Amino acid sequence: MANHFEFVIVGGGLASVTAAETLRNEGAQGRILLLTQEAHLPYQRPPLSKKLLLSNEVPAPILILPASRYQELSIDVRLNTLVTSVQPLQHTLRTLTHELIHYKKLLIATGVKPMRLAIAGERLQGVHHLRTLSDAQAIWRSMQHARQAVVIGGSLMGLEVAASLRQKGLGVTLIERDSVLEKLSTPEISKYFQQHLQAKGVQVLVGDTPVSFQGRTTVESVMTTTGKTLLCDFVVIGAGVEPDLNFLKHSGLKLDNGVRVDRFLCTNNPHVFAAGDVANFDDEVFNCRHRIEHWDNAVKQGRVAAHNMLGHHLPYHEVSYFYSHVFDQSFTLLGVVNQHAEKIERGSLTNGSYASFFLKNDIPRGMFALGRPTDEIKVTETLIKHRVNLHALKPDLSNLDFRLNQIPNQTIFILQGGGAFGAFECGAISALQAAGIRPDIVAGISIGAFNGAIIASHPHDAAAALKAFWHELAVALPELPEENLRRFFASQHAMLFGVPKFFKPRWLTSMFMPNRIPCRWISFYDMTPVKDLLLKYVDFSQLKASPIRLLIQAVDVQTGTLTMFDTYIDDITPEHVMASGSLPPAFAWTSIGQKNYWDAGIVSNSPLEDVLARCGSAGKRVFVIDLFPGKRRLLPQNIADVIGRRDEIVYAERIHSDWKMSETVRDYQSLVEEIVRALPAEEANRIQHQPRFIQLMGAAAPLAITRIVREHSDHVPFAKGYDFSLKSIEQLIQAGYRMAKKVLGL
């Protein structure tokens, strides 16, 4: 069993190490093996083109984790190990030494390899590619007695290498076929960096390509398509990269410019995952499939992949960060810039304070920032991630005095479960709509999911649709002289005979049917009648096209984990809504695909925290319709009251905020800011534009939460949630309307 492992990770980069560490931190049991073909423990690759080339000594690796950390986490790291094949059906892989390794879960994180030019002389000594520490060491040795170098390629890496070589006093010529930083698709930015390189002494040849390298054993010159002969002591090629996939050609895994994975970073084999530069993933933020070659993406995907290898179901929905600095210019690129239809500029490149926003259909898709505040970059990440429509604010984006964190980027309605109390939500929504407040996002649990689906299906007049739904759902019952007696009767009637268009008792239909005797029931009621009512008020085929994003939460019966269904991603059906309302033991679980779901209210009756985790909290305006007040003065008076009060306590909405942790975070942020202020300006600027600094230190726009609480006098029975009588439903609608207006100050 020596070569049997629960988790095997192939690759020695950031995605691999992050995944291995996350597995252990999240409680993974069993053996973890990390395989790398290099002779060093996994190290940071971004410094290879910058800090390590500028070193006065032979570059040494900057390790991601010290050796002791792998020992602490019981992670087995094998160096100099090249994987030659993977057999997913057998859960095995082979190495160059013919060793057979067994796994239960496999992560492929092999990254990319440099592309060859395939021209004469490419194998001469002194012609370098840059991907590994060995490559950086070879370039460093070539630099020691050199006077002139040629860099091929105007990519981020090419510019970084050219800047490093020039800073070491070498003459540098950079050759680029198209334009500098061509992937940015912006002539202004390309021109700026070309001029900046030239001002620092780098000769830039745009519109030219090498055709051959000349020299006996060592490169001495580069011949170009325009007939130029460039004398040099060595060459660095940065002509692009390609995924490292040779060992997967016969694996049966889908390959498409990388390892093809879904939004959960899982391949077509459920036991094999991919992360980092090699992963061609389904990006739900930008609605496209692509690879991202950057350390920030590698770290984030490594974490998500690890969680999903442990059986979680976390989608990857992050905005990619690209960061670089060329000489004294540090810049950040967010998102994608090849999907834009409109560009809005802010500031000036020549003044060293500039941002370019890339929009499509008024939705921000990307941002280039040079010398802009970290807060601005952080807010823009949020705007991109959550697809905030900026139509009305586009004129403000170019105004340097306009702070982006002033943008009220999205309005969220949080709808809870609570049976008949859902009519209170109907009234509150009517008041909000009358006040001109409409949601961008609506999230619901149980009866809140029903209301939410109707709202998303009727974005222009949700109030009317909700009222019609609730009036059709309600039951007409005889009037009784005493109000509490009437409500008690209505509640008992629903428990005994059901609600015709919502649910029906099993004892009325299956008591004496074979194989359906009570001891074999898994619920007291059958909820199928409500499906027809849902189909009447919700056009499920059009939910994805709705301007209102719908989130519905349910809990997996077998795993006990909460699942969020999202119209941005999922094709919501009546079953998804019914699953959220399948509260045991009243209702049976609802099956969706191969999984079975109960009402999420058995875990939490409010999706607030999970919605903010998915949609972000920065700049959000949230309206929570709170159906279960947490406090009561009087004690329950009967069994029905006891059950009702129990539900109030269990389902009362809570926001779990660790204020002590928040204070600690703020203290650390203050300390970091103090340290950075003490650094030289150039170094401080470089640090402040690194993705990790922006994500940890950037202040986001504040979150605003408004609560609309269902209040009632103490004489009202606790069991009112079971009362679906027409009179009570109308009372609840009116109460919700009044309370919402009161909260809004109307």
Side-chain angles (χ1 to χ4, degrees), residues 69 102 126 151 199-200 208 263 265 326 347 415 455 464 499 507 530 567 594-595 622 625 645 659 689 704:
R69 182 60 176 163
H102 298 258
V151 178
K200 295 292 185 178
D208 209 350
R263 60 194 178 94
L265 306 181
V326 178
L415 308 179
I455 293 169
V499 177
W507 53 81
V530 81
T567 51
Q594 302 300 312
K595 296 189 175 183
V622 182
I625 303 178
R645 181 55 183 155
W659 291 107
H689 285 82

Side-chain angles (χ1 to χ4, degrees), residues 687-704:
I687 291 173
Q688 288 170 338
H689 285 82
Q690 291 183 5
R692 189 173 298 177
F693 185 93
I694 295 168
Q695 292 166 354
L696 295 177
M697 300 294 293
L703 168 70

Side-chain angles (χ1 to χ4, degrees), residues 285-359:
V285 176
F286 300 102
N287 194 29
C288 68
R289 176 172 287 282
H290 59 170
R291 290 186 306 105
I292 296 177
E293 300 160 6
H294 198 264
W295 71 265
D296 178 67
N297 177 73
V299 170
K300 292 174 180 176
Q301 286 197 346
R303 289 177 183 146
V304 170
H307 280 278
N308 293 336
M309 290 170 77
L310 291 170
H312 303 155
H313 205 56
L314 300 179
Y316 183 75
H317 47 80
E318 299 290 341
V319 176
S320 58
Y321 273 79
F322 293 84
Y323 163 78
S324 184
H325 68 271
V326 178
F327 293 108
D328 56 346
Q329 298 292 301
S330 297
F331 60 92
T332 302
L333 180 65
L334 294 179
V336 297
V337 298
N338 58 355
Q339 297 183 8
H340 75 278
E342 183 178 8
K343 182 180 70 173
I344 298 176
E345 295 179 298
R346 182 180 178 95
S348 167
L349 280 166
T350 55
N351 293 333
S353 179
Y354 173 84
S356 187
F357 302 92
F358 302 94
L359 290 81

Side-chain angles (χ1 to χ4, degrees), residues 527-576:
M527 201 169 48
T528 54
V530 81
K531 183 175 180 177
D532 290 334
L533 194 61
L534 272 173
L535 289 169
K536 179 177 179 179
Y537 286 95
V538 180
D539 186 351
F540 287 92
S541 66
Q542 294 301 310
L543 282 180
K544 272 194 170 181
S546 172
I548 299 175
R549 180 182 183 180
L550 173 64
L551 302 172
I552 292 172
Q553 203 162 36
V555 62
D556 189 310
V557 176
Q558 291 166 290
T559 66
T561 56
L562 286 168
T563 299
M564 186 77 79
F565 302 111
D566 185 345
T567 51
Y568 268 12
I569 307 155
D570 305 298
D571 294 316
I572 302 293
T573 67
E575 283 70 29
H576 290 87

Side-chain angles (χ1 to χ4, degrees), residues 579-630:
S580 186
S582 298
L583 182 66
F587 306 123
W589 57 74
T590 300
S591 299
I592 302 173
Q594 302 300 312
K595 296 189 175 183
N596 306 294
Y597 297 95
W598 272 332
D599 190 321
I602 64 176
V603 177
S604 173
N605 196 43
S606 174
L608 176 60
E609 288 188 334
D610 291 334
V611 169
L612 295 181
R614 176 174 289 241
C615 301
S617 60
K620 296 293 191 294
R621 182 173 62 160
V622 182
F623 291 88
V624 179
I625 303 178
D626 200 341
L627 300 181
F628 290 95

Side-chain angles (χ1 to χ4, degrees), residues 3 23 25 51 53-54 113 117 202 253 256 280 444 469 506 556-557 626 669 673 708 720 727 734:
N3 278 346
L23 284 169
N25 290 339
K51 184 176 180 179
L53 290 186
L54 295 172
K113 59 184 180 180
L117 295 179
V202 177
L253 299 175
D256 177 16
N280 186 340
F469 170 83
R506 296 195 181 278
D556 189 310
V557 176
D626 200 341
Q669 288 178 327
E673 288 172 349
I708 302 171
K720 195 176 177 182
K727 185 172 182 179
Q734 293 173 4

